Amino acid sequence: MGIALCLLSAACFGAMAIFGKLAYAADVSPAALLLVRFGLAAALLWALLLLRPGLRRSPGSPERTTDSVLSTPTLLATCLGLGAVGYAAQASLYFAALELMDASVLSLIFYTYPLLVTLVAVLLGRDRLTPGRCAALVAASCGTLLVLIGAGSVDLHPLGAALAFGTAATYTVYILVADTVVGRVPAVVLAALVMTGATVTMTARTLVTGGVDLGFGVQGWFWLACIAVVSTVVAMLTFFAGLRRTGPSTAAILSTFEPVVTTTLAALTLGELLTPLQLTGGLLVLSSVAVLQLRGKRPDRPSDVPVPASKQPVGVG
């Protein structure tokens, strides 16, 4: 189930690039996209919590409720900070880099984060390198490389590359910090707090920069709704749920399925045909999933590290 949830999350995130291109074609600016994405997602998540009170409590852990989070300042600040600092910074760096370099090169650099997550998690004693994990990481990294190299020419911009590495580093920290709180906060509550924090940051930036143009048409709002619902709300909930079951390294490796989804959808909807090199890369990424499945029930973390949060089921509705 953890693997399936991580793959579903990657698929939803992978669709965001397609939705984003269609939104840009409908005259939506990057600033408006981020503001509406985070704001609408936050509103949807809080509405979901209001309509379904059971989601405010973690199954099997009655003490983990919305009230317990709101009454714990440190935990609340961490959840909001994941969005206000982590998610907002990652998105801002990504779109800043995108202005300076090709999207394929940016994605290639960004997808170094599974390696960063694995290495940092090992150094922190929160994960360990097993033969299966090493093979999955190599297969996923090589597959992603082939998928993205097959997309076209390479044009490296030094500042853009630095911003792209900053994006990968920021997302690495986001995943590792999120892993420390996913077992203490109901999944939907955590997602709502993260989106709220990101919305606050984007709203503040909008006020400082003089506002954004929201005068685009219905088509633009439709694609923004797709980004907020499919590529943000559903993607986040399935990621948190998968992260709790698999641990940070496995979740990060499985997330490399995202560029495969993006490339496939681009071929189907935008006429960007897959090359043999890209197809080979996609098969390598999928092989990493098979390797992880073959690991069976072997422990995902060192035996002296508590793992109840990553092994208990989570109700995300």
Side-chain angles (χ1 to χ4, degrees):
M1 180 59 70
I3 290 176
L5 288 168
C6 289
L7 289 177
L8 177 57
S9 173
C12 291
F13 278 126
M16 183 166 62
I18 309 303
F19 295 147
K21 279 192 172 184
L22 296 172
Y24 289 151
D27 299 324
V28 178
S29 69
L33 187 154
L34 289 173
L35 179 63
V36 174
R37 174 198 178 190
F38 293 139
L40 182 56
L44 290 172
L45 288 166
W46 286 117
L48 182 61
L49 288 169
L50 181 63
L51 294 173
R52 297 194 59 182
L55 296 177
R56 305 173 198 170
R57 186 181 303 272
S58 294
S61 300
E63 73 281 0
R64 295 204 298 265
T65 65
T66 304
D67 292 339
S68 68
V69 177
L70 298 179
S71 62
T72 308
T74 302
L75 182 58
L76 177 61
T78 300
C79 295
L80 290 172
L82 279 171
V85 179
Y87 222 97
Q90 185 269 337
S92 298
L93 288 170
Y94 183 91
F95 284 103
L98 192 60
E99 293 180 344
L100 301 174
M101 63 193 306
D102 292 345
S104 60
V105 182
L106 170 57
S107 297
L108 174 59
I109 296 175
F110 173 63
Y111 274 92
T112 60
Y113 82 82
L115 175 61
L116 296 177
V117 170
T118 300
L119 294 178
V120 174
V122 170
L123 291 175
L124 293 176
R126 292 166 54 183
D127 244 319
R128 64 183 180 188
L129 288 176
T130 64
R133 189 183 299 283
C134 290
L137 183 58
V138 170
S141 299
C142 292
T144 302
L145 178 65
L146 293 177
V147 167
L148 297 170
I149 286 181
S153 61
V154 174
D155 181 20
L156 189 64
H157 190 287
L159 178 57
L163 291 171
F165 277 115
T167 304
T170 302
Y171 200 56
T172 296
V173 175
Y174 170 82
I175 289 176
L176 292 170
V177 174
D179 187 56
T180 67
V181 299
V182 290
R184 303 163 59 193
V185 183
V188 181
V189 175
L190 177 57
L193 290 172
V194 168
M195 287 295 98
T196 299
T199 301
V200 170
T201 296
M202 292 303 167
T203 301
R205 189 175 75 173
T206 297
L207 294 175
V208 170
T209 57
V212 296
D213 181 15
L214 299 177
F216 41 84
V218 175
Q219 191 175 34
W221 284 104
F222 173 78
W223 295 122
L224 288 183
C226 290
I227 292 173
V229 176
V230 176
S231 299
T232 304
V233 174
V234 175
M236 284 191 65
L237 293 180
T238 51
F239 177 77
F240 283 134
L243 177 62
R244 290 184 60 191
R245 290 169 167 85
T246 64
S249 299
T250 299
I253 293 170
L254 289 171
S255 294
T256 59
F257 186 56
E258 179 182 330
V260 178
V261 173
T262 301
T263 306
T264 302
L265 290 178
L268 294 175
T269 63
L270 304 176
E272 300 176 5
L273 298 179
L274 293 171
T275 66
L277 194 61
Q278 288 174 312
L279 289 173
T280 302
L283 290 175
L284 277 174
V285 174
L286 292 176
S287 72
S288 71
V289 178
V291 169
L292 290 173
Q293 290 176 321
L294 289 175
R295 289 174 61 239
K297 296 185 178 297
R298 294 172 58 185
D300 195 56
R301 306 184 187 189
S303 58
D304 58 337
V305 179
V307 294
S310 66
K311 302 306 178 187
Q312 293 175 0
V314 59
V316 296

PDB file of all heavy atoms in Angstrom, residues 242-271:
ATOM      1  N   GLY A 242       1.884   7.549   2.071  1.00  0.00           N
ATOM      2  CA  GLY A 242       2.926   6.632   1.626  1.00  0.00           C
ATOM      3  C   GLY A 242       4.207   6.785   2.421  1.00  0.00           C
ATOM      4  O   GLY A 242       4.881   5.798   2.741  1.00  0.00           O
ATOM      5  N   LEU A 243       4.543   8.031   2.764  1.00  0.00           N
ATOM      6  CA  LEU A 243       5.756   8.303   3.540  1.00  0.00           C
ATOM      7  C   LEU A 243       5.713   7.614   4.892  1.00  0.00           C
ATOM      8  O   LEU A 243       6.710   7.065   5.367  1.00  0.00           O
ATOM      9  CB  LEU A 243       5.918   9.819   3.717  1.00  0.00           C
ATOM     10  CG  LEU A 243       7.096  10.315   4.554  1.00  0.00           C
ATOM     11  CD1 LEU A 243       8.412   9.903   3.913  1.00  0.00           C
ATOM     12  CD2 LEU A 243       7.023  11.827   4.718  1.00  0.00           C
ATOM     13  N   ARG A 244       4.546   7.602   5.525  1.00  0.00           N
ATOM     14  CA  ARG A 244       4.408   6.962   6.826  1.00  0.00           C
ATOM     15  C   ARG A 244       4.651   5.462   6.741  1.00  0.00           C
ATOM     16  O   ARG A 244       5.126   4.838   7.684  1.00  0.00           O
ATOM     17  CB  ARG A 244       3.013   7.208   7.409  1.00  0.00           C
ATOM     18  CG  ARG A 244       2.759   8.637   7.843  1.00  0.00           C
ATOM     19  CD  ARG A 244       1.402   8.759   8.502  1.00  0.00           C
ATOM     20  NE  ARG A 244       1.317   7.906   9.669  1.00  0.00           N
ATOM     21  CZ  ARG A 244       0.186   7.658  10.319  1.00  0.00           C
ATOM     22  NH1 ARG A 244      -0.950   8.171   9.877  1.00  0.00           N
ATOM     23  NH2 ARG A 244       0.170   6.899  11.389  1.00  0.00           N
ATOM     24  N   ARG A 245       4.320   4.862   5.600  1.00  0.00           N
ATOM     25  CA  ARG A 245       4.438   3.409   5.465  1.00  0.00           C
ATOM     26  C   ARG A 245       5.808   2.971   4.969  1.00  0.00           C
ATOM     27  O   ARG A 245       6.248   1.859   5.238  1.00  0.00           O
ATOM     28  CB  ARG A 245       3.366   2.888   4.501  1.00  0.00           C
ATOM     29  CG  ARG A 245       1.938   2.951   5.041  1.00  0.00           C
ATOM     30  CD  ARG A 245       0.945   2.664   3.927  1.00  0.00           C
ATOM     31  NE  ARG A 245      -0.390   2.402   4.429  1.00  0.00           N
ATOM     32  CZ  ARG A 245      -1.292   3.348   4.710  1.00  0.00           C
ATOM     33  NH1 ARG A 245      -0.963   4.625   4.539  1.00  0.00           N
ATOM     34  NH2 ARG A 245      -2.491   3.022   5.169  1.00  0.00           N
ATOM     35  N   THR A 246       6.497   3.820   4.210  1.00  0.00           N
ATOM     36  CA  THR A 246       7.723   3.389   3.541  1.00  0.00           C
ATOM     37  C   THR A 246       8.989   3.981   4.120  1.00  0.00           C
ATOM     38  O   THR A 246      10.064   3.404   3.974  1.00  0.00           O
ATOM     39  CB  THR A 246       7.674   3.755   2.053  1.00  0.00           C
ATOM     40  OG1 THR A 246       7.629   5.179   1.913  1.00  0.00           O
ATOM     41  CG2 THR A 246       6.463   3.130   1.370  1.00  0.00           C
ATOM     42  N   GLY A 247       8.903   5.174   4.753  1.00  0.00           N
ATOM     43  CA  GLY A 247      10.109   5.870   5.178  1.00  0.00           C
ATOM     44  C   GLY A 247      10.561   6.853   4.109  1.00  0.00           C
ATOM     45  O   GLY A 247      10.143   6.779   2.948  1.00  0.00           O
ATOM     46  N   PRO A 248      11.452   7.801   4.461  1.00  0.00           N
ATOM     47  CA  PRO A 248      11.811   8.888   3.542  1.00  0.00           C
ATOM     48  C   PRO A 248      12.566   8.449   2.302  1.00  0.00           C
ATOM     49  O   PRO A 248      12.317   8.948   1.215  1.00  0.00           O
ATOM     50  CB  PRO A 248      12.674   9.815   4.415  1.00  0.00           C
ATOM     51  CG  PRO A 248      13.193   8.942   5.512  1.00  0.00           C
ATOM     52  CD  PRO A 248      12.094   7.956   5.775  1.00  0.00           C
ATOM     53  N   SER A 249      13.510   7.506   2.429  1.00  0.00           N
ATOM     54  CA  SER A 249      14.313   7.120   1.269  1.00  0.00           C
ATOM     55  C   SER A 249      13.472   6.427   0.206  1.00  0.00           C
ATOM     56  O   SER A 249      13.551   6.754  -0.985  1.00  0.00           O
ATOM     57  CB  SER A 249      15.459   6.197   1.703  1.00  0.00           C
ATOM     58  OG  SER A 249      16.312   6.862   2.605  1.00  0.00           O
ATOM     59  N   THR A 250      12.665   5.460   0.617  1.00  0.00           N
ATOM     60  CA  THR A 250      11.820   4.740  -0.339  1.00  0.00           C
ATOM     61  C   THR A 250      10.821   5.681  -0.996  1.00  0.00           C
ATOM     62  O   THR A 250      10.590   5.621  -2.209  1.00  0.00           O
ATOM     63  CB  THR A 250      11.071   3.591   0.368  1.00  0.00           C
ATOM     64  OG1 THR A 250      12.022   2.687   0.914  1.00  0.00           O
ATOM     65  CG2 THR A 250      10.178   2.844  -0.608  1.00  0.00           C
ATOM     66  N   ALA A 251      10.225   6.573  -0.197  1.00  0.00           N
ATOM     67  CA  ALA A 251       9.272   7.535  -0.759  1.00  0.00           C
ATOM     68  C   ALA A 251       9.940   8.421  -1.800  1.00  0.00           C
ATOM     69  O   ALA A 251       9.361   8.715  -2.854  1.00  0.00           O
ATOM     70  CB  ALA A 251       8.672   8.385   0.363  1.00  0.00           C
ATOM     71  N   ALA A 252      11.172   8.841  -1.530  1.00  0.00           N
ATOM     72  CA  ALA A 252      11.880   9.700  -2.474  1.00  0.00           C
ATOM     73  C   ALA A 252      12.233   8.950  -3.748  1.00  0.00           C
ATOM     74  O   ALA A 252      12.121   9.480  -4.858  1.00  0.00           O
ATOM     75  CB  ALA A 252      13.148  10.245  -1.820  1.00  0.00           C
ATOM     76  N   ILE A 253      12.677   7.689  -3.612  1.00  0.00           N
ATOM     77  CA  ILE A 253      13.016   6.893  -4.797  1.00  0.00           C
ATOM     78  C   ILE A 253      11.779   6.663  -5.667  1.00  0.00           C
ATOM     79  O   ILE A 253      11.816   6.813  -6.891  1.00  0.00           O
ATOM     80  CB  ILE A 253      13.641   5.546  -4.380  1.00  0.00           C
ATOM     81  CG1 ILE A 253      15.006   5.786  -3.725  1.00  0.00           C
ATOM     82  CG2 ILE A 253      13.810   4.631  -5.590  1.00  0.00           C
ATOM     83  CD1 ILE A 253      15.586   4.558  -3.065  1.00  0.00           C
ATOM     84  N   LEU A 254      10.662   6.324  -5.028  1.00  0.00           N
ATOM     85  CA  LEU A 254       9.437   6.086  -5.786  1.00  0.00           C
ATOM     86  C   LEU A 254       8.938   7.357  -6.472  1.00  0.00           C
ATOM     87  O   LEU A 254       8.272   7.288  -7.510  1.00  0.00           O
ATOM     88  CB  LEU A 254       8.355   5.534  -4.854  1.00  0.00           C
ATOM     89  CG  LEU A 254       8.571   4.099  -4.365  1.00  0.00           C
ATOM     90  CD1 LEU A 254       7.551   3.753  -3.288  1.00  0.00           C
ATOM     91  CD2 LEU A 254       8.484   3.109  -5.505  1.00  0.00           C
ATOM     92  N   SER A 255       9.270   8.508  -5.915  1.00  0.00           N
ATOM     93  CA  SER A 255       8.836   9.770  -6.511  1.00  0.00           C
ATOM     94  C   SER A 255       9.496  10.032  -7.857  1.00  0.00           C
ATOM     95  O   SER A 255       9.047  10.902  -8.604  1.00  0.00           O
ATOM     96  CB  SER A 255       9.127  10.933  -5.555  1.00  0.00           C
ATOM     97  OG  SER A 255       8.334  10.833  -4.386  1.00  0.00           O
ATOM     98  N   THR A 256      10.565   9.285  -8.185  1.00  0.00           N
ATOM     99  CA  THR A 256      11.183   9.461  -9.495  1.00  0.00           C
ATOM    100  C   THR A 256      10.280   8.947 -10.617  1.00  0.00           C
ATOM    101  O   THR A 256      10.612   9.098 -11.790  1.00  0.00           O
ATOM    102  CB  THR A 256      12.543   8.739  -9.558  1.00  0.00           C
ATOM    103  OG1 THR A 256      12.364   7.346  -9.296  1.00  0.00           O
ATOM    104  CG2 THR A 256      13.524   9.321  -8.558  1.00  0.00           C
ATOM    105  N   PHE A 257       9.167   8.335 -10.254  1.00  0.00           N
ATOM    106  CA  PHE A 257       8.170   7.951 -11.262  1.00  0.00           C
ATOM    107  C   PHE A 257       7.504   9.188 -11.860  1.00  0.00           C
ATOM    108  O   PHE A 257       6.917   9.126 -12.940  1.00  0.00           O
ATOM    109  CB  PHE A 257       7.129   7.047 -10.596  1.00  0.00           C
ATOM    110  CG  PHE A 257       6.117   6.463 -11.549  1.00  0.00           C
ATOM    111  CD1 PHE A 257       6.514   5.723 -12.645  1.00  0.00           C
ATOM    112  CD2 PHE A 257       4.759   6.645 -11.333  1.00  0.00           C
ATOM    113  CE1 PHE A 257       5.590   5.177 -13.515  1.00  0.00           C
ATOM    114  CE2 PHE A 257       3.822   6.110 -12.198  1.00  0.00           C
ATOM    115  CZ  PHE A 257       4.235   5.364 -13.291  1.00  0.00           C
ATOM    116  N   GLU A 258       7.627  10.309 -11.175  1.00  0.00           N
ATOM    117  CA  GLU A 258       6.962  11.542 -11.622  1.00  0.00           C
ATOM    118  C   GLU A 258       7.379  11.980 -13.025  1.00  0.00           C
ATOM    119  O   GLU A 258       6.512  12.283 -13.860  1.00  0.00           O
ATOM    120  CB  GLU A 258       7.226  12.662 -10.609  1.00  0.00           C
ATOM    121  CG  GLU A 258       6.601  13.987 -10.973  1.00  0.00           C
ATOM    122  CD  GLU A 258       6.931  15.071  -9.952  1.00  0.00           C
ATOM    123  OE1 GLU A 258       7.128  14.744  -8.771  1.00  0.00           O
ATOM    124  OE2 GLU A 258       7.002  16.237 -10.353  1.00  0.00           O
ATOM    125  N   PRO A 259       8.696  12.065 -13.365  1.00  0.00           N
ATOM    126  CA  PRO A 259       9.043  12.502 -14.724  1.00  0.00           C
ATOM    127  C   PRO A 259       8.584  11.533 -15.798  1.00  0.00           C
ATOM    128  O   PRO A 259       8.352  11.945 -16.939  1.00  0.00           O
ATOM    129  CB  PRO A 259      10.585  12.601 -14.672  1.00  0.00           C
ATOM    130  CG  PRO A 259      10.985  11.727 -13.556  1.00  0.00           C
ATOM    131  CD  PRO A 259       9.896  11.849 -12.543  1.00  0.00           C
ATOM    132  N   VAL A 260       8.454  10.252 -15.471  1.00  0.00           N
ATOM    133  CA  VAL A 260       7.929   9.296 -16.439  1.00  0.00           C
ATOM    134  C   VAL A 260       6.480   9.632 -16.762  1.00  0.00           C
ATOM    135  O   VAL A 260       6.056   9.624 -17.924  1.00  0.00           O
ATOM    136  CB  VAL A 260       8.045   7.857 -15.905  1.00  0.00           C
ATOM    137  CG1 VAL A 260       7.456   6.864 -16.898  1.00  0.00           C
ATOM    138  CG2 VAL A 260       9.500   7.510 -15.607  1.00  0.00           C
ATOM    139  N   VAL A 261       5.704   9.955 -15.729  1.00  0.00           N
ATOM    140  CA  VAL A 261       4.307  10.346 -15.924  1.00  0.00           C
ATOM    141  C   VAL A 261       4.231  11.632 -16.739  1.00  0.00           C
ATOM    142  O   VAL A 261       3.432  11.748 -17.684  1.00  0.00           O
ATOM    143  CB  VAL A 261       3.603  10.522 -14.562  1.00  0.00           C
ATOM    144  CG1 VAL A 261       2.198  11.092 -14.753  1.00  0.00           C
ATOM    145  CG2 VAL A 261       3.535   9.194 -13.820  1.00  0.00           C
ATOM    146  N   THR A 262       5.076  12.595 -16.386  1.00  0.00           N
ATOM    147  CA  THR A 262       5.069  13.877 -17.095  1.00  0.00           C
ATOM    148  C   THR A 262       5.366  13.679 -18.582  1.00  0.00           C
ATOM    149  O   THR A 262       4.680  14.236 -19.446  1.00  0.00           O
ATOM    150  CB  THR A 262       6.120  14.823 -16.493  1.00  0.00           C
ATOM    151  OG1 THR A 262       5.838  15.038 -15.104  1.00  0.00           O
ATOM    152  CG2 THR A 262       6.106  16.167 -17.207  1.00  0.00           C
ATOM    153  N   THR A 263       6.382  12.878 -18.871  1.00  0.00           N
ATOM    154  CA  THR A 263       6.765  12.641 -20.261  1.00  0.00           C
ATOM    155  C   THR A 263       5.673  11.916 -21.034  1.00  0.00           C
ATOM    156  O   THR A 263       5.375  12.241 -22.184  1.00  0.00           O
ATOM    157  CB  THR A 263       8.068  11.827 -20.313  1.00  0.00           C
ATOM    158  OG1 THR A 263       9.068  12.477 -19.539  1.00  0.00           O
ATOM    159  CG2 THR A 263       8.569  11.700 -21.744  1.00  0.00           C
ATOM    160  N   THR A 264       5.057  10.945 -20.388  1.00  0.00           N
ATOM    161  CA  THR A 264       3.987  10.185 -21.042  1.00  0.00           C
ATOM    162  C   THR A 264       2.784  11.072 -21.334  1.00  0.00           C
ATOM    163  O   THR A 264       2.218  11.047 -22.437  1.00  0.00           O
ATOM    164  CB  THR A 264       3.564   9.003 -20.167  1.00  0.00           C
ATOM    165  OG1 THR A 264       4.693   8.158 -19.924  1.00  0.00           O
ATOM    166  CG2 THR A 264       2.463   8.194 -20.844  1.00  0.00           C
ATOM    167  N   LEU A 265       2.379  11.865 -20.338  1.00  0.00           N
ATOM    168  CA  LEU A 265       1.241  12.764 -20.536  1.00  0.00           C
ATOM    169  C   LEU A 265       1.545  13.825 -21.591  1.00  0.00           C
ATOM    170  O   LEU A 265       0.656  14.229 -22.353  1.00  0.00           O
ATOM    171  CB  LEU A 265       0.867  13.423 -19.211  1.00  0.00           C
ATOM    172  CG  LEU A 265       0.233  12.511 -18.159  1.00  0.00           C
ATOM    173  CD1 LEU A 265      -0.040  13.278 -16.873  1.00  0.00           C
ATOM    174  CD2 LEU A 265      -1.055  11.897 -18.686  1.00  0.00           C
ATOM    175  N   ALA A 266       2.796  14.286 -21.630  1.00  0.00           N
ATOM    176  CA  ALA A 266       3.177  15.267 -22.652  1.00  0.00           C
ATOM    177  C   ALA A 266       3.034  14.675 -24.049  1.00  0.00           C
ATOM    178  O   ALA A 266       2.609  15.355 -24.983  1.00  0.00           O
ATOM    179  CB  ALA A 266       4.611  15.735 -22.407  1.00  0.00           C
ATOM    180  N   ALA A 267       3.381  13.400 -24.185  1.00  0.00           N
ATOM    181  CA  ALA A 267       3.244  12.740 -25.487  1.00  0.00           C
ATOM    182  C   ALA A 267       1.783  12.584 -25.875  1.00  0.00           C
ATOM    183  O   ALA A 267       1.411  12.756 -27.036  1.00  0.00           O
ATOM    184  CB  ALA A 267       3.924  11.371 -25.448  1.00  0.00           C
ATOM    185  N   LEU A 268       0.935  12.282 -24.883  1.00  0.00           N
ATOM    186  CA  LEU A 268      -0.474  12.029 -25.167  1.00  0.00           C
ATOM    187  C   LEU A 268      -1.266  13.311 -25.393  1.00  0.00           C
ATOM    188  O   LEU A 268      -2.198  13.340 -26.206  1.00  0.00           O
ATOM    189  CB  LEU A 268      -1.098  11.237 -24.011  1.00  0.00           C
ATOM    190  CG  LEU A 268      -0.581   9.807 -23.805  1.00  0.00           C
ATOM    191  CD1 LEU A 268      -1.195   9.199 -22.554  1.00  0.00           C
ATOM    192  CD2 LEU A 268      -0.888   8.941 -25.032  1.00  0.00           C
ATOM    193  N   THR A 269      -0.937  14.377 -24.664  1.00  0.00           N
ATOM    194  CA  THR A 269      -1.744  15.593 -24.724  1.00  0.00           C
ATOM    195  C   THR A 269      -1.113  16.734 -25.515  1.00  0.00           C
ATOM    196  O   THR A 269      -1.826  17.573 -26.066  1.00  0.00           O
ATOM    197  CB  THR A 269      -2.033  16.109 -23.297  1.00  0.00           C
ATOM    198  OG1 THR A 269      -0.796  16.457 -22.649  1.00  0.00           O
ATOM    199  CG2 THR A 269      -2.746  15.047 -22.475  1.00  0.00           C
ATOM    200  N   LEU A 270       0.224  16.768 -25.569  1.00  0.00           N
ATOM    201  CA  LEU A 270       0.907  17.879 -26.232  1.00  0.00           C
ATOM    202  C   LEU A 270       1.639  17.454 -27.498  1.00  0.00           C
ATOM    203  O   LEU A 270       2.299  18.278 -28.136  1.00  0.00           O
ATOM    204  CB  LEU A 270       1.895  18.546 -25.260  1.00  0.00           C
ATOM    205  CG  LEU A 270       1.302  19.054 -23.944  1.00  0.00           C
ATOM    206  CD1 LEU A 270       2.401  19.594 -23.041  1.00  0.00           C
ATOM    207  CD2 LEU A 270       0.244  20.116 -24.206  1.00  0.00           C
ATOM    208  N   GLY A 271       1.534  16.163 -27.842  1.00  0.00           N
ATOM    209  CA  GLY A 271       2.172  15.686 -29.062  1.00  0.00           C
ATOM    210  C   GLY A 271       3.672  15.532 -28.966  1.00  0.00           C
ATOM    211  O   GLY A 271       4.355  15.434 -29.992  1.00  0.00           O
TER     212      GLY A 271
END
